[in-house]
Amino acid sequence: MGLSLTVNGDRLASAADPTTPLVDILREELHLTGAKPVCREGFCGACMVLIDGKPTPSCLMPAALADGCEIHTVEGLTTHGQLNRIQSALEASDAVQCGMCFPGMVVSLTHLLTTRPDATREDIRAALTGNICRCTGYERIVDATLLALATK
Amino acid sequence: MSDVSATMDFRRRDAADKLRGRTRYTVDRYLPGMLHAAVLRAGVPSGRIVRLDTSRAARMPGVRAIVTAADAPGMMGIGIADHPLFARDVIRYDGEPLAAVAAGTLAQAQAALAAIDVEIEPLPAVITMADALASDAPLVHPNWRDYEVLLEGGARKGNVAWEATVVRGNVDAAFARADVEIIESSFRVGRQNHVAFEPRAVVASYEDGRFHIETSTQVPWGIRNATARLLGVPPSQVRVTVPPVGGGFGLKFDLAIEPFAALLARASGRPVRLVNSREEEMLTCLFRENADVRIRSAVTRQGDIVGREAVVLMDCGAYGGEQIFLTTMTAHTLGGNYRLGSVRLVSRALYTNTAPNGAFRCCNGVYNTFALERHTDEIAARIGMDPLLFRRRNVLGDKDLGATGQVFEADVLSPMLERMDTLRDAAAPRPARTDGRLYGRATTVGTWFVFVGPSAATVNMNADGTATLVTSGVEIGSGSMMQGLPQIVASTVGIPPESVVVRAADTDAAGYDVGVGGGRTTVSLGAASLSAAQEVRAKLLKVASEMIEAAPEDLVMRHGRVEIAGAPGSGRTVAEVATYAQAKHGPVSGTGAFTGTGVPAMPGCVAGHFIDAIDMPVFAVHDCEVAVDPETGHVEVLNYRVVQDVGRALNPRAIHGQIQGGVVQGLGYALHEEVTMGSNGRVCQSGFETYRVPLALDVVPVEISLYEGAPSMGPLGTKGAGEVPILNVGAAIACAVANATGKRIQELPLTPPRVLELLLDRKRDLTLPHIAEAWADNLVRPHKTPQGNA
């Protein structure tokens, strides 16, 4: 049985075992290495992708469950290569350090920007508890999100 | 020598790709024809290998190569070469590698591991440092005498892998004085896991008779030399290149899995990818070591510290590794911060049958500063002096002596404490406290250093007016390679920092470097880069003077032009000068080299140290306020302030980012990051579910003041800024919680159960019976009486 995945708008077929974690298919078959399988326990958020618009850790999800869904990875969040609002704000805020957590962070925050335009500092911090960062101490990321929310 | 300030608000160039998910770290590298590797690890802490038969595994589907101890003859280490790549006959920790397999897929490699026939006879194990020091303790290395000694001077015996001592002045006389109080404190800390997001990862190839290792490391030259040593080949046969690194914090300052992949690549003739699983990273991480500290001071009632002695036990795990080197740091962490009349310290790295420990941001300093600052508060309480006043009175200042007899230059800590007073006084008062929580505040000081050592740099001037900086520096996330270094080169040759291309580390292309860590990148690589850029500048000015017909000393280089000083718009562009120079004299380049000068200790004062005194001291003052919930034991950090000595800040925004991040990592250490060891010698925290790092809701914004102007031998007056922010976080939190609760804090982290135990008076005073009462009874080798200062 083959899988039919729609990733960043492209329909793709995969012959992988349907129990394979989605993150492995994205990385190893499709070479979309933005999603990082850091903890493989669904805690760190570095492998976050949008599945039918909802941020979801791709390390725990068997690919079969994503069959037929619209999947967006961090690579699909730019338009014509231009950074989106949150990416621009994170860049302008000098928020990035090692950067391993940022693809997942960008996915979560892109979703937050569209669903919570009125988010406060505390809302943003609460929303980020599923995305762990070991380098930055988070404050720059929260600042950048507020900047992005204020940028229409 | 520069016409443009090197201080800039320059954004890092690697951010946009990192935000797009385009950056290819080592874990993202997949080469055509590549094999996947996996490592078989022991499941007992101590044992003898009776049988290890790989013949069945070799016949498994997809298997292309299997390597074992027979393939790696060498031994590695710092100070002593005690560490083989694979366990040979003897297993010394749970998780020790036994064999490595390369196969077509990772699943095939893992299946083959299961088919390796292993028979192990378990042996008695020593799991704790108290076990290791017991009179009848089994030896982790029964043949310790046979190991090659790489640095002479450390005392060794039995399970004492290394011992370093300091004796300055007559401590016995100080403790015998009639006018002193004697204050004794004991402390214990556990291990901390770096949790670098990118696990240790490598892709190795064997090409034209040489190894090429692409790896996630902080020390390309270290990997080159240690891999060669283990494999028994000349170092020149190993090339190491380093893609962007997804976090290090010291974890990647030591050899890890590179030789397995290299051996498998040679054996199979194919590129081999090896990536540690998160579980391997959690169980065999080169943790910040657990330590036991006893410190005792003789202090006059007026507040002079006339004598101090301490014993520090550092658990190095099954192999000496970096702990051997880090025994040195006790002299500068417990012997730092304050003026001491006389002092004697012993720092001992002990073998146990547990996973080896390693370097972690402000290694050794974090817990010694916790111990020293808590001890300082206990001193102040005993003599009835305000702890802040005691600190103001005693912090190291101009011409004061460090523990090893080093003479410190300039008053730095004292004005930094004043700066902190100003910051604290300017803060808005908190509303009335009526929620039943316990509130406390503390100010702590810290002394740290920049790890200097050799670095090399080459600057190649390109005909298009850009410059290429070639070093063995690695971008691990701190931004030094992306911001500080290009700023230094750009300001010297008068071009924008965007026009400085930074070459990724490649040991075939760039000269030797100690590695990225210890706050040394902007300092050591920066000094080498500055020197290289100055050579380029001098050459370009000479050529430009021919072109413009003006003396070189009348010319300036700025905004991409070489001009006559005072005549903007005159002269030529840097690109024109570089093009002309290239055609007429050949391409323009410059080279630079740097190393620390080495500060001597007082004669006879130290034994077994790798650094006698510190080339470049760095100071920090931290202040925080906490609220403790008496019902749950939960500690909330209400505010946090840092005054940090940075020498000179080339990119203040980048430094602020390092300080916020370092403080939060320190909050993890202080409040909830805890690695514990089962009685079977296995780490209990195998993943993110059981090891709790700070989340966005745990942190506070750090109020930061950069203290500039302290003496520094760093280029343009700089000091390393990324290492030190974590130094006194544990100390500040512990002192604040002690002030809030009135309880004696002796251990970190201050998890809710531990704080509750303290509040309910269920926690007994920590005793360390494996530390002998008399200081000298803790030594393998008596410290000789120092000349002239007995």
Side-chain angles (χ1 to χ4, degrees), chain B residues 126-135 137-140 158-160 350-352:
Chain B
V126 290
I127 305 300
T128 67
M129 291 195 287
D131 292 346
L133 287 175
S135 55
L139 295 186
V140 179
N159 286 325
V160 180
L350 304 182
Y351 288 126
T352 56

Side-chain angles (χ1 to χ4, degrees), chain B residues 392-469:
Chain B
R392 283 201 197 96
R393 198 175 182 283
N394 284 295
V395 288
L396 286 170
D398 195 31
K399 309 282 190 296
D400 284 335
L401 290 187
T404 65
Q406 173 174 15
V407 181
F408 281 83
E409 280 180 56
D411 288 317
V412 184
L413 270 172
S414 195
M416 288 173 68
L417 278 168
E418 282 173 31
R419 171 98 52 103
M420 181 60 85
D421 291 344
T422 310
L423 278 187
R424 199 189 310 110
D425 294 347
R430 298 192 64 78
R433 296 154 172 177
T434 54
D435 60 1
R437 290 195 295 176
L438 307 168
Y439 289 81
R441 204 187 52 67
T443 303
T444 60
V445 298
T447 306
W448 190 241
F449 77 127
V450 176
F451 180 41
V452 281
S455 281
T458 300
V459 173
N460 293 316
M461 194 67 215
N462 303 310
D464 63 356
T466 63
T468 304
L469 173 64

Side-chain angles (χ1 to χ4, degrees), chain A residues 27-28 31 33-34 36 38-39 41 43-44 46 74-75 78 81-83 87 90-94 96-103 106 121-122 125-126 128-129 132-140, chain B residues 11-12 15-16 18-21 23-25 27-28 30 192-195 197-198 245-247 249 278 360 476-477 483 653 656-658 660-661 664-665 673 687-689 693-697 699 701:
Chain A
R27 289 174 59 85
E28 288 165 30
H31 305 294
T33 54
K36 311 292 183 195
V38 168
C39 75
E41 292 179 298
F43 278 99
C44 74
V74 68
E75 289 94 339
T78 51
Q82 296 295 305
L83 300 183
Q87 288 168 318
L90 288 163
E91 189 195 25
S93 305
D94 220 14
V96 180
Q97 292 187 15
C98 95
M100 280 287 281
C101 70
F102 272 87
V106 164
R121 192 169 193 89
E122 281 310 294
R125 287 171 53 171
L128 278 180
T129 54
I132 296 174
C133 174
R134 190 58 161 163
C135 296
T136 64
Y138 302 104
E139 280 300 299
R140 287 273 171 86
Chain B
R11 280 187 215 164
R12 47 193 304 161
K18 284 178 170 175
L19 288 162
R20 288 185 178 104
T23 301
R24 293 179 70 86
Y25 303 84
V27 282
D28 301 321
Y30 297 88
Q192 184 181 20
N193 190 310
H194 309 70
V195 195
F197 260 37
E198 184 188 26
V245 170
F249 315 116
R278 183 53 55 181
F360 191 152
I476 66 170
Q483 294 166 304
R653 197 156 67 147
H656 281 231
Q658 286 298 303
Q660 175 75 39
V664 168
Q665 205 168 49
E673 291 185 36
F688 278 48
E689 189 173 6
V693 298
L695 306 176
L697 277 172
V699 310

Side-chain angles (χ1 to χ4, degrees), chain B residues 166-177:
Chain B
V166 176
V167 176
R168 179 172 64 70
N170 191 334
V171 179
D172 284 328
F175 276 80
R177 276 169 59 159

Side-chain angles (χ1 to χ4, degrees), chain B residues 505-528:
Chain B
D506 179 345
T507 56
D508 275 5
Y512 178 76
D513 183 64
V514 173
V516 167
R520 68 184 299 282
T521 313
T522 305
V523 171
S524 290
L525 281 157

